Amino acid sequence: MKVNIGLLWHSLSSDNLGVGALTESQIAIVLAACKRAGVTQPSFTVFGTSGTRAIAPVSVPVEKGDRLSWKRLAVGQTRYWAQLRACDLVLDIGEGDSFTDIYGLERFWLQAGTKAMALISGKTLVLSPQTIGPFERSWTRAIARGLMRRAKRVYARDQLSTAFLADMQVSGNTAEAIDVAFRLPFTRHDFGASTKQRVGINVSGLLYNGGYSRDNQFGLTVDYRRLTEELVAHFVQRGGGQECEVHLVGHVLSDVIGVEDDHAASLALAEMFPGVVVAPKFATPSEAKSYIAGLDYFTGARMHACIAAFSSGVPVTPLGYSRKFTGLFNTLGYQQVADCKKLSTEAVRDLVIQGYEQREVLRPQVQRGCEAASVRLQAYEDFLVDCLQQQQKQKKQQVGHQ
């Protein structure tokens, strides 16, 4: 039986490997569900923002949906309607945290409009595990509430989003899972034998440059540039320079938007600290996770780089600057998160160093968190099995009526 799954607000070409990680992981979960549901010919149509990267290869047919823009949708210069009608099921992951109005009204309208079009087309719409909200305006809140109430299921990826849904009076069709990137496939990188501890530091180019406005756009209480420089200096010099090997790992790799580029920020730091290892510009999210999995300890401000570490068993101290960090990791019972919008530069630096020193204490906590994530994503997969079986039943009924 053929089933075409629309992946709304996913991307296999994004410069942000986090969005790619969501997409690759979602495909892996859906394929597992298809196998259990008896779907023998699954295919995917991916709708979302495009980046400069080549489409990552996957083992099943994948069509790139038409570019989504509010202007193109408004004037009808898009194939989105037609491509949407060819889908049997639509899974909308909202790029992880984009179903909100805090990123501007244009993005909100695009997020809301594409969901509304899926519903108007009569498609089964599932909001896959993601951060929900916030919605700071009463009218955006009302629109979001109406759309979510009409979805077949709305999955929060953390306890804070679940509480937010309850506050929005969206109930009856909600559930809580976890970020799908915990299912991202990887092969642990073998760096070879070494007496040194390999410490990975993900430097967010966006935070390193002060945000798009370059003036601490995100309201951090830490001096992020000083923090990263002090952390690199500490681990480079630790044990007289004999204890650690520092790896600077980028997770947003953009040749077009320099302010976002983690790799450029890493190269700038490498000039200040000769001898550090700058990770390559990874071709795929799985390649990045495989590299991170081979490290002994990790810290960073890109959430999916931290998830790559956590989900591969590497002790990690995430550097959070929004509720998605604390919401997700605390949901798994992991408290080793540094809040960069509350703590001082010195406090965050000390917490990261403490995490390294207590990495063997953190390791079993990471393991327990991964086990909890596995249970949550299995429940999400079970739900998709039911959806796919219903789709096949409907198709058979339609054939029987012809």
Side-chain angles (χ1 to χ4, degrees):
M1 179 71 72
K2 294 182 179 180
V3 174
N4 184 39
I5 299 99
L7 299 181
L8 183 56
W9 295 113
H10 294 67
S11 177
L12 285 170
S13 63
S14 175
D15 295 332
N16 186 335
L17 293 180
V19 178
L22 292 173
T23 307
E24 284 192 37
S25 304
Q26 180 87 289
I27 289 175
I29 293 170
V30 173
L31 289 178
C34 284
K35 185 175 182 179
R36 292 172 56 197
V39 176
T40 56
Q41 298 182 61
S43 61
F44 298 87
T45 304
V46 178
F47 302 99
T49 54
S50 298
T52 60
R53 312 178 72 76
I55 295 290
V58 292
S59 59
V60 290
V62 175
E63 179 185 1
K64 184 179 179 181
D66 206 23
R67 183 171 65 88
L68 299 177
S69 79
W70 183 246
K71 187 176 294 185
R72 288 164 61 88
L73 291 172
V75 299
Q77 294 180 343
T78 177
R79 294 183 299 145
Y80 178 60
W81 278 112
Q83 291 173 326
L84 193 60
R85 284 192 288 270
C87 296
D88 298 297
L89 172 68
V90 177
L91 306 179
D92 180 346
I93 209 158
E95 294 185 319
D97 68 343
S98 289
F99 191 32
T100 176
D101 60 5
I102 64 172
Y103 296 126
L105 293 180
E106 183 175 346
R107 187 186 293 194
F108 169 78
W109 277 120
L110 192 52
Q111 285 279 332
T114 48
K115 291 169 177 56
M117 292 167 73
L119 292 168
I120 291 169
S121 298
K123 301 302 173 182
T124 298
L125 175 67
V126 176
L127 269 61
S128 294
Q130 60 189 277
T131 299
I132 305 293
F135 301 101
E136 297 183 341
R137 301 164 178 83
S138 60
W139 60 271
T140 58
R141 192 179 179 96
I143 291 172
R145 181 188 299 113
L147 291 169
M148 288 190 289
R149 284 177 172 174
R150 291 187 61 190
K152 183 175 181 64
R153 188 66 59 90
V154 178
Y155 274 95
R157 66 178 176 184
D158 58 68
Q159 294 171 343
L160 293 178
S161 289
T162 297
F164 184 77
L165 284 169
D167 183 61
M168 286 190 69
Q169 299 178 324
V170 178
S171 60
N173 66 335
T174 63
E176 183 179 298
I178 203 68
D179 196 291
V180 297
F182 277 83
R183 282 277 195 98
L184 181 66
F186 72 101
T187 302
R188 196 178 307 277
H189 186 82
D190 183 4
F191 288 101
S194 175
T195 58
K196 292 186 175 183
Q197 295 293 304
R198 295 185 173 93
V199 176
I201 300 177
N202 159 247
V203 182
S204 165
L206 189 59
L207 297 186
Y208 195 76
N209 290 304
Y212 298 108
S213 61
R214 298 182 183 272
D215 61 354
N216 190 22
Q217 178 183 1
F218 299 102
L220 304 185
T221 53
V222 305
D223 182 333
Y224 182 79
R225 185 175 288 236
R226 178 163 70 88
L227 171 67
T228 53
E229 292 170 0
E230 290 183 1
L231 285 174
V232 173
H234 172 84
F235 288 113
V236 165
Q237 297 163 9
R238 192 177 176 97
Q242 300 304 307
E243 183 175 338
C244 298
E245 179 180 274
V246 176
H247 291 245
L248 302 179
V249 184
H251 213 254
V252 173
L253 309 170
S254 177
D255 295 326
V256 177
I257 308 176
V259 70
E260 290 186 348
D261 188 26
D262 297 357
H263 191 71
S266 297
L267 291 175
L269 276 169
E271 290 185 4
M272 299 171 59
F273 300 97
V276 302
V277 179
V278 177
K281 300 182 79 169
F282 305 111
T284 67
S286 288
E287 186 179 316
K289 182 174 180 177
S290 297
Y291 187 100
I292 292 170
L295 302 172
D296 298 297
Y297 178 69
F298 194 78
T299 187
R302 297 291 190 184
M303 191 173 81
H304 280 97
C306 294
I307 290 175
F310 193 98
S311 61
S312 59
V314 178
V316 56
T317 301
L319 306 181
Y321 61 94
S322 74
R323 70 176 172 92
K324 66 182 181 181
F325 284 83
T326 53
L328 185 137
F329 287 103
N330 288 353
T331 295
L332 297 175
Y334 193 71
Q335 306 296 320
Q336 182 68 20
V337 181
D339 193 332
C340 293
K341 295 190 75 172
K342 291 183 179 179
L343 300 177
S344 67
T345 302
E346 292 75 18
V348 172
R349 180 198 62 210
D350 292 347
L351 188 61
V352 172
I353 294 170
Q354 181 186 65
Y356 167 79
E357 293 171 345
Q358 297 181 353
R359 60 195 180 280
E360 295 309 318
V361 175
L362 294 177
R363 199 177 301 276
Q365 296 178 26
V366 169
Q367 181 60 37
R368 288 193 294 272
C370 287
E371 291 169 358
S374 179
V375 171
R376 288 165 172 265
L377 288 180
Q378 190 59 51
Y380 172 60
E381 181 187 309
D382 292 344
F383 169 78
L384 293 181
V385 171
D386 291 340
C387 285
L388 291 165
Q389 290 175 336
Q390 290 175 20
Q391 291 298 321
Q392 291 183 99
K393 184 177 180 180
Q394 290 173 8
K395 281 195 167 189
K396 289 178 180 178
Q397 289 174 344
Q398 290 171 358
V399 170
H401 292 153
Q402 290 177 353

